[in-house]
């Protein structure tokens, strides 16, 4: 298995544009998490899925953010009308969802809003 | 006040030195994670522990639940250990679903 993969790895966009990031988790993992990390800070929780169900959303996820996992496999995170404050790395992670199971992280998608 | 605090924020040491990174947390937890992040972003899970001590190669992680404190030790440090080490805790109500992360400790090992 190739691990958790994210695409694109880097995205530069103009303020006001929409962007979408994709995450492909490890194939048998039923839990998928999105985090955001700004420079010099630790990651912050955004949302997570159990299969296709989005079970928890952070208040950091404004209404411009939407995440989906339509078939319980890959997930997308869309940011509409991007703002400069959205510039960050968006990290995806997955796990088997069994208590005590390791969480595996992707390489992250860097977003720069200019 | 951050729920997860790490110290030191930056650490530079000579190759071969014994390294200790500390993590203190203020909430009830289900488990504590030690993660390694290299330049470019990728994060690797090193340990997940809820009690006692774990060892993997030159890395040792300990946790004291009563004192809400964990340490990550690296023996015989090597330049390839240079990275940011992040402590994260799983909330006792939500488990691993909502990890709270520290800001990380940037470790640099000089040859």
């Amino acid at each position: 298995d190739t691990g958790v993969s994210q695409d694109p790895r880097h995205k530069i966009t103009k303020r006001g544009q929409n962007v979408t990031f994709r995450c492909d988790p490890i194939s048998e993992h039923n839990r998928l998490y999105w985090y955001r990390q700004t420079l010099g800070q630790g990651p912050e929780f955004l949302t997570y899925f159990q299969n296709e169900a989005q079970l928890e959303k952070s208040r950091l996820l404004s209404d411009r953010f939407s995440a989906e996992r339509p078939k319980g496999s890959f997930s997308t995170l869309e940011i509409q009308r991007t703002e400069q404050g959205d510039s960050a790395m968006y990290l995806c992670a997955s796990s088997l969802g069994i208590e005590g199971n390791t969480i595996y992280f992707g390489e992250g998608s860097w977003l720069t809003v200019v | 006040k951050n729920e997860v605090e790490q110290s030191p924020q930056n650490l530079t040491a000579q190759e071969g030195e014994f390294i200790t990174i500390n993590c203190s947390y203020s909430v009830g937890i289900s488990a504590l994670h030690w993660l390694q992040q290299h330049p470019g972003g990728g994060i690797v899970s090193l340990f997940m522990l809820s009690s006692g001590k774990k060892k993997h190669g030159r890395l040792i992680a300990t946790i004291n639940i009563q004192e809400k404190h964990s340490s990550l030790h690296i023996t015989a440090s090597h330049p390839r250990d240079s990275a940011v080490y992040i402590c994260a805790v799983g909330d006792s109500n939500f488990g691993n679903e909502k990890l709270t992360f520290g800001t990380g400790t940037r470790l640099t090992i000089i040859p």
Side-chain angles (χ1 to χ4, degrees), chain A residues 4-111:
Chain A
V4 180
S5 61
Q6 294 188 242
D7 182 70
R9 291 293 318 281
H10 302 271
K11 178 73 175 179
I12 300 174
T13 191
K14 290 184 179 179
R15 190 174 53 186
Q17 297 294 305
N18 298 343
V19 296
T20 299
F21 299 111
R22 175 179 169 127
C23 171
D24 286 89
I26 293 173
S27 57
E28 65 268 25
H29 285 185
N30 52 24
R31 284 199 179 158
L32 186 147
Y33 315 82
W34 284 101
Y35 298 92
R36 181 173 70 185
Q37 185 176 24
T38 53
L39 280 176
Q41 300 298 314
E44 297 172 290
F45 170 82
L46 291 179
T47 189
Y48 92 95
F49 292 84
Q50 172 84 18
N51 299 312
E52 66 274 12
Q54 188 174 20
L55 296 186
E56 186 74 22
K57 289 171 62 174
S58 163
R59 61 181 181 275
L60 293 174
L61 270 187
S62 74
D63 56 5
R64 296 185 297 105
F65 288 72
S66 62
E68 294 182 343
R69 194 183 183 198
K71 297 181 180 179
S73 56
F74 72 92
S75 175
T76 57
L77 177 68
E78 181 183 17
I79 309 173
Q80 296 182 324
R81 305 181 304 281
T82 52
E83 301 173 358
Q84 286 187 320
D86 297 331
S87 296
M89 181 170 67
Y90 292 85
L91 272 167
C92 177
S94 71
S95 74
L96 269 175
I98 299 170
E99 192 62 37
N101 204 255
T102 300
I103 296 176
Y104 294 84
F105 289 84
E107 294 286 314
S109 292
W110 285 97
L111 173 65

Side-chain angles (χ1 to χ4, degrees), chain B residues 6 13 22-23 25-26 28-29 31 38 42 46 54 60-62 64-65 76 84 87 90 93-94 97 107-108:
Chain B
Q6 292 185 232
N22 296 300
C23 175
Y25 54 92
S26 58
I29 67 168
H38 281 281
L46 299 175
K54 287 190 176 180
I60 303 165
T62 63
N64 185 317
I65 297 294
V84 175
C87 170
N93 294 317
F94 295 99
E97 288 81 5
L107 174 66
T108 304

